[in-house]
Amino acid sequence: GIFVNQNLFWGRSGTLDRTILLIGDGIAEGIGDGLANGGLAARLRAMMAKEKDANGLRLTWRVASAGAFRAISDDWIPGADHPPNRVTGVRKSLFVDTFVDGMFKDAHVVVILLGGQDELFSSQPTDVERTVSNLKLLALELEKLDKEVLISQIPAFSDDEAVKLRVYQRNRMLREFIS
């Protein structure tokens, strides 16, 4: 299960406002969730508001997205400049843009939705260990920034059996890391 520690709710500021940030690829951005719905962040925001109203909760959760269409796990690695991704054109780490220079550095909970695009757009799509290593590094760096981190299972974007096997291997390795 997922357990949220008490510090998440009262934090350093003592306020009742918290931010959940979805990071990753197009799924985090809301691609595939129907633009009429406003994407995954909007759906989660509506669900959280409904729970708050139904149960008289005082804590207010803001939900935002810093997803980047076609981003791969390499794009989110903390650090200095990167060579441009061949699809997204990203030169600087999305981690730096989001958590160092960006407007989401104060997010309390970070949900990582990343890894599926590695199979499609990475320069090394069959390197299962590379994706998992990148996700581990990202999660550990976020923990250093005092973030609560949730890692989503990686979706398979193909019916190809070899691709499905590699995605299964990535997810198995992630589960081992989390447990």
Side-chain angles (χ1 to χ4, degrees):
I2 298 169
F3 298 93
V4 181
N5 71 36
Q6 189 65 27
N7 292 335
L8 176 62
F9 294 102
W10 294 105
R12 291 178 295 277
S13 65
T15 67
L16 295 174
D17 293 330
R18 294 289 176 262
T19 300
I20 297 174
L21 180 63
L22 310 176
I23 67 169
D25 56 29
I27 292 174
E29 188 177 26
I31 304 296
D33 191 34
L35 295 176
N37 294 331
L40 184 58
R43 290 169 45 105
L44 184 55
R45 192 177 307 116
M47 184 179 75
M48 302 281 291
K50 184 177 176 181
E51 280 296 312
K52 181 180 180 188
D53 292 342
N55 296 302
L57 304 175
R58 295 185 324 166
L59 191 63
T60 300
W61 287 94
R62 291 172 296 199
V63 182
S65 172
F69 181 61
R70 292 189 176 173
I72 61 174
S73 63
D74 290 341
D75 294 330
W76 280 94
I77 295 303
D81 290 341
H82 291 264
N85 173 284
R86 67 183 178 89
V87 176
T88 63
V90 172
R91 288 190 175 276
K92 194 159 104 175
S93 165
L94 290 169
F95 181 92
V96 172
D97 285 347
T98 305
F99 297 106
V100 177
D101 300 336
M103 61 188 282
F104 298 115
K105 56 187 163 194
D106 294 329
H108 300 88
V109 176
V110 178
V111 180
I112 300 172
L113 301 150
L114 191 59
Q117 299 295 320
D118 285 24
E119 192 65 47
L120 301 173
F121 301 110
S122 173
S123 61
Q124 300 172 338
T126 60
D127 191 346
V128 171
E129 290 83 11
R130 180 184 181 118
T131 299
V132 175
S133 177
N134 286 346
L135 294 175
K136 286 179 181 180
L137 176 61
L138 176 57
L140 293 171
E141 289 299 315
L142 288 166
E143 282 186 335
K144 287 180 189 175
L145 295 176
D146 203 25
K147 311 290 183 205
E148 295 290 333
V149 180
L150 307 173
I151 302 175
S152 172
Q153 180 171 311
I154 300 170
F157 292 115
S158 173
D159 290 331
D160 182 280
E161 291 303 318
V163 171
K164 287 182 186 178
L165 177 61
R166 288 192 298 270
V167 170
Y168 170 79
Q169 291 169 333
R170 287 179 173 108
N171 284 321
R172 183 179 43 78
M173 292 171 71
L174 280 174
R175 280 190 300 275
E176 290 171 4
F177 167 67
I178 292 169
S179 54

